[in-house]
Amino acid sequence: MQGRIFQLNTSRGGVPKLAVREAMLTRTGLADDVQTHMNIHGGPERALCLYSLERILELQNEGHPIFTGAVGENVTLMGLDWAGIEPGVRLSFGEDVLVEIASYTSPCDSVADSFGDGRFVRISQKVNPGWSRVYARVLQTGRLAVGQRVNVLD
């Protein structure tokens, strides 16, 4: 299965993360992206937060004011079967970058403004399987760019 990078997002801490055209991916995440609470976000097992453009659009259709980068994802992907993006799955980005999905994220109240009713559990894997963002560990570093091809390897 093949998709694309729709948007790359970074911040100096917190949400929303703002769009950038390209970024270097290191073992601990996108260059110029800052995580304020390293015990919750970041580090090698949570180096990259990924989410689906299609899920964001579906949430918007439900009436939520969510937008790309609003829930803290570093990479907004399009064209993938999001329900199949689960721990253990490997993704390649372009020719160089390789990541492995490490875990589902746990949403917190910092993203509540992205939901009309403030109920951020809408993107909780436990409450709504297949709607969660995911964390990835970086197996091979490199440059990421908007429009870049993404392949599901597993």
Side-chain angles (χ1 to χ4, degrees), residues 43-119:
E45 291 300 301
R46 298 179 299 252
L48 207 56
C49 183
L50 310 171
Y51 204 38
S52 163
L53 174 64
E54 289 83 1
R55 287 293 193 248
I56 291 169
L57 295 173
E58 290 174 81
L59 290 165
Q60 287 175 346
N61 284 336
E62 291 176 11
H64 299 289
I66 189 172
F67 55 90
T68 52
V71 292
E73 79 274 12
N74 299 113
V75 183
T76 311
L77 300 169
M78 59 186 255
L80 299 178
D81 174 13
W82 195 249
I85 305 301
E86 55 190 18
V89 167
R90 289 185 176 192
L91 303 173
S92 68
F93 294 80
E95 302 298 320
D96 299 323
V97 174
L98 180 64
V99 304
E100 181 178 64
I101 306 305
S103 64
Y104 296 107
T105 67
S106 296
C108 69
D109 60 2
S110 67
V111 300
D113 288 345
S114 292
F115 299 91
D117 53 8
R119 292 181 46 85

